[in-house]
Amino acid sequence: MSCWTVLGLSADADVRTIKRQYAVLLKQTRPDDDPEGFQRLRDAYEQALAYKEWQQYHEQDEEQAQDQGIEESWDLTGLTVVEVDALQLATRSLDGLSVEELNRRHTVALEQGCAHIFEDTLLHHCIEYPESSDTLVDWAVPTFFWFSAWQRLELDEESIELLLARQRTRITQPMRDALEQEDVDGFLQAYARCAQFKWLTIERHQKWFDHTLSHLLLDAPVWYPEVFERVRTDQGWHGSTGNPCPDGEWQRLLARKNAPLYLARQQQLALEPPATPEHRAARLLLGSGSFSARRALARRLSEEDWAQCRKLSSELYANHPNVCAQMPGGTAFFWQSWELSFNDWPTYVGVVLACLIGSFTHYIPLGVRFSGLINIVMLTTVAFGVVVAGLNWLVHDFAHRAWSLDDWLSARLCPAFLKDSPPFGVLRDLVPCALMVAGLSWFLGPIAGAVYAGTLGIFGLIRRRQVKPHTSWEETRTPVKICKSILGIAALAIVLGVFNQIASQGTVNRNQGLQPWTERLCSRLPITTTECSAPATVEQWYGKEARP
């Protein structure tokens, strides 16, 4: 496939048209969505520009030769008629030539000393007409030692590099297409044809070929053991010193080779009790539970569990695209938005509601004023908030270490139809909830304990609802979640502050209210004061405001 085919242009397009067409196609081929297509487009764009640069240079040389005369360009002075005919034969059109005719022209050019002109003409023709030049290139490469250290130094280096890039595309494209179409025989046939290109045995080209083959196998949508074994044998790949396979890619190839065994082991771990991080990561990614059950499981995972999830997801993404396509959202990274979620916030909501309702229901019958109630609500909210934070940290850490025991107890206490996915855990949920209910009931009354338990129960039911799978990791907005939590806490603090301010407006201060007498001056002074040693006067008792 030539660069003009990829760009959708003819070979006579100018540089401006090439750049415009590249900009249009670049919008349709994104590097993130189609890296191979983007690379083909980029290579075609660079080849087209390089060809136009060479063409401009070639045209300038022709114009200069015409201005100076052909005798000066080829130096025909002193040449015989036979030599002039040989020179014209070397530069004659090369369209549709057979190998026999190429050999004849080359022999004549060698005999008459114009082989270098014939070689330049052939190189320029192959660059200008790539669609019809495969036979010419296959003949010229071994004849003139192109792509090797023995090629003629006077050759145009840019033209050689452009021709080399086209030949590499000619080699790799059939193999890539066969793997994308899952055509094993087509790949093996295309790979066998590569033996015809003798220049691939040169060291630098051999390294490129090994690198290309390894990437083709690693990027293939389906892994074929027979393809890997054929390539490994012919290329001489092995696990010992001197492996021609590129560094770092041999282990990746072996990992993909052993991928079926790896997947079978992970699927078995997903069915076993979640005793280790490997078990829990396998259950989250490969378990048979619903999307909601997986989300509930994710709220219990620790940092070690998430690290194992990242490792397992990378393995599945690299070696098992079909398995990833069956996961929620069609990706192995559907869980990433759950990693930084705030899982304990329902307990704090329950504390706030329990302290608010419990304070009013418990202390209003005792005659406590509204301002006092607000103070009690604020103090108890802070105190029980600290208590519930400590319980969450202690109990959840213990429950995570005793995960199997927690699951066993939960399955025994749950109804039969919920044993496969218990809605609560005895150690991680019931124990801290029971302790908080007992503390709230003792300090604020049974209503406060009931409110706390009811709040957690409501949030638990909401969290257990069936949720449709979606690609949440692509749409996650963790900063937005954090900002919402901060705004909720700030709004609660503002509401409590407003209540406290309203309550303070009704407080009776000194000398306010329905008092029978104004305050006596001497009641605020020591008895030894001179003004208070005698019986109080009218001015001392009533003050200035009592005067008529």
Side-chain angles (χ1 to χ4, degrees):
M1 183 181 296
S2 68
C3 61
W4 308 111
T5 304
V6 176
L7 294 173
L9 298 173
S10 58
D12 57 353
D14 56 9
V15 175
R16 187 176 182 182
T17 303
I18 293 172
K19 292 182 178 180
R20 286 183 176 179
Q21 182 68 3
Y22 174 70
V24 172
L25 296 178
L26 191 61
K27 296 179 180 179
Q28 303 173 5
T29 306
R30 297 290 184 182
D32 298 336
D33 301 335
D34 187 6
E36 295 182 359
F38 171 76
Q39 188 62 40
R40 287 196 297 269
L41 177 61
R42 183 66 186 179
D43 293 342
Y45 172 68
E46 294 177 353
Q47 291 175 13
L49 291 182
Y51 170 71
K52 286 300 174 182
E53 183 179 357
W54 169 85
Q55 188 180 43
Q56 182 180 5
Y57 177 76
H58 183 63
E59 291 175 354
Q60 291 176 355
D61 287 348
E62 288 182 349
E63 292 177 358
Q64 184 178 3
Q66 292 177 0
D67 294 339
Q68 297 177 356
I70 189 171
E71 290 80 10
E72 182 178 354
S73 177
W74 285 349
D75 192 15
L76 299 180
T77 304
L79 295 181
T80 64
V81 175
V82 176
E83 291 172 340
V84 173
D85 290 341
L87 187 61
Q88 293 177 349
L89 179 65
T91 58
R92 195 175 300 170
S93 175
L94 299 171
D95 291 335
L97 289 185
S98 63
V99 175
E100 291 77 9
E101 179 64 19
L102 287 171
N103 288 325
R104 189 182 73 83
R105 289 194 183 186
H106 184 231
T107 302
V108 173
L110 286 174
E111 292 176 352
Q112 303 303 326
C114 58
H116 63 284
I117 298 177
F118 177 64
E119 183 180 359
D120 291 339
T121 303
L122 184 62
L123 176 60
H124 294 160
H125 181 87
C126 294
I127 294 295
E128 188 172 357
Y129 304 101
E131 294 85 355
S132 59
S133 300
D134 289 344
T135 302
L136 301 179
V137 174
D138 293 341
W139 178 85
V141 169
T143 301
F144 298 110
F145 304 103
W146 289 350
F147 311 149
S148 71
W150 297 276
Q151 68 183 15
R152 191 162 56 89
L153 297 178
E154 292 80 10
L155 286 177
D156 183 9
E157 185 178 353
E158 293 185 359
S159 298
I160 287 293
E161 290 298 326
L162 179 59
L163 185 62
L164 176 59
R166 289 179 179 175
Q167 292 305 300
R168 287 178 174 179
T169 303
R170 177 186 171 192
I171 291 173
T172 58
Q173 194 61 45
M175 294 188 291
R176 180 179 289 108
D177 294 340
L179 290 177
E180 291 178 353
Q181 298 171 5
E182 302 182 6
D183 183 5
V184 177
D185 294 335
F187 176 88
L188 294 178
Q189 293 174 5
Y191 174 68
R193 287 195 295 269
C194 294
Q196 302 173 3
F197 302 96
K198 302 300 182 182
W199 54 272
L200 286 176
T201 58
I202 300 175
E203 183 178 0
R204 73 183 185 99
H205 300 307
Q206 180 67 39
K207 290 182 178 180
W208 166 83
F209 193 46
D210 287 329
H211 178 79
T212 300
L213 287 173
S214 63
H215 275 270
L216 285 175
L217 296 179
L218 290 173
D219 297 338
V222 180
W223 178 264
Y224 298 102
E226 60 272 25
V227 170
F228 173 72
E229 291 299 328
R230 171 72 177 278
V231 173
R232 183 187 65 82
T233 302
D234 292 351
Q235 298 301 122
W237 293 349
H238 50 78
S240 58
T241 305
N243 185 6
C245 186
D247 296 339
E249 296 183 3
W250 176 249
Q251 297 300 327
R252 294 177 58 195
L253 289 170
L254 292 180
R256 189 157 192 192
K257 175 187 176 182
N258 299 325
L261 297 177
Y262 179 84
L263 179 61
R265 180 176 179 275
Q266 295 299 321
Q267 291 174 340
Q268 180 62 32
L269 291 177
L271 301 176
E272 298 176 0
T276 63
E278 290 77 9
H279 288 85
R280 293 187 280 272
R283 175 173 290 192
L284 178 65
L285 272 68
L286 301 173
S288 59
S290 63
F291 186 77
S292 300
R294 295 182 181 186
R295 190 178 61 171
L297 173 66
R299 296 190 183 96
R300 305 172 55 188
L301 301 184
S302 65
E303 182 58 34
E304 295 180 358
D305 300 329
W306 291 122
Q308 185 63 30
C309 287
R310 287 189 288 270
K311 180 179 178 181
L312 178 57
S313 297
S314 299
E315 292 285 345
L316 296 176
Y317 180 79
N319 301 325
H320 300 280
N322 296 333
V323 176
C324 295
Q326 299 175 0
M327 292 184 175
T331 174
F333 299 96
F334 64 90
W335 49 268
Q336 286 197 347
S337 64
W338 302 339
E339 187 175 3
L340 300 177
S341 60
F342 299 94
N343 298 327
D344 295 333
W345 63 268
T347 58
Y348 299 107
V349 175
V351 167
V352 173
L353 294 178
C355 292
L356 183 63
I357 298 175
S359 297
F360 277 81
T361 57
H362 184 70
Y363 287 99
I364 283 181
L366 300 179
V368 179
R369 294 181 178 179
F370 188 76
S371 59
L373 288 175
I374 296 300
N375 293 329
I376 293 174
V377 170
M378 300 178 80
L379 291 175
T380 54
T381 300
V382 173
F384 282 102
V386 173
V387 172
V388 77
L391 282 176
N392 288 336
W393 179 72
L394 291 174
V395 176
H396 286 191
D397 183 68
F398 174 75
H400 192 273
R401 297 177 183 276
W403 194 298
S404 300
L405 176 61
D406 192 15
D407 275 4
W408 183 82
L409 294 174
S410 302
R412 294 297 182 272
L413 295 179
C414 284
F417 63 92
L418 292 177
K419 286 187 177 181
D420 294 335
S421 180
F424 59 85
V426 174
L427 299 180
R428 73 179 186 274
D429 294 325
L430 289 186
V431 171
C433 181
L435 293 175
M436 286 297 299
V437 168
L440 289 169
S441 300
W442 173 75
F443 193 79
L444 298 175
I447 295 179
V451 169
Y452 180 80
T455 302
L456 296 188
I458 292 173
F459 277 108
L461 292 176
I462 295 175
R463 284 183 164 187
R464 293 293 298 181
R465 75 185 190 280
Q466 291 294 325
V467 181
K468 295 182 179 180
H470 59 285
T471 313
S472 57
W473 68 283
E474 294 180 348
E475 302 174 356
T476 181
R477 297 179 180 178
T478 303
V480 175
K481 295 180 180 179
I482 296 175
C483 291
K484 288 182 178 179
S485 302
I486 294 175
L487 289 177
I489 296 173
L492 178 62
I494 292 173
V495 170
L496 293 177
V498 170
F499 279 150
N500 191 23
Q501 184 65 26
I502 294 173
S504 65
Q505 298 299 323
T507 303
V508 178
N509 296 325
R510 188 173 56 190
N511 295 329
Q512 293 182 350
L514 300 177
Q515 299 178 5
W517 308 102
T518 56
E519 184 180 13
R520 184 180 177 183
L521 177 62
C522 291
S523 64
R524 293 183 282 115
L525 298 174
I527 195 171
T528 58
T529 304
T530 305
E531 290 80 357
C532 297
S533 58
T537 61
V538 175
E539 289 78 4
Q540 291 175 334
W541 182 268
Y542 292 100
K544 296 181 180 180
E545 68 275 11
R547 293 181 180 179

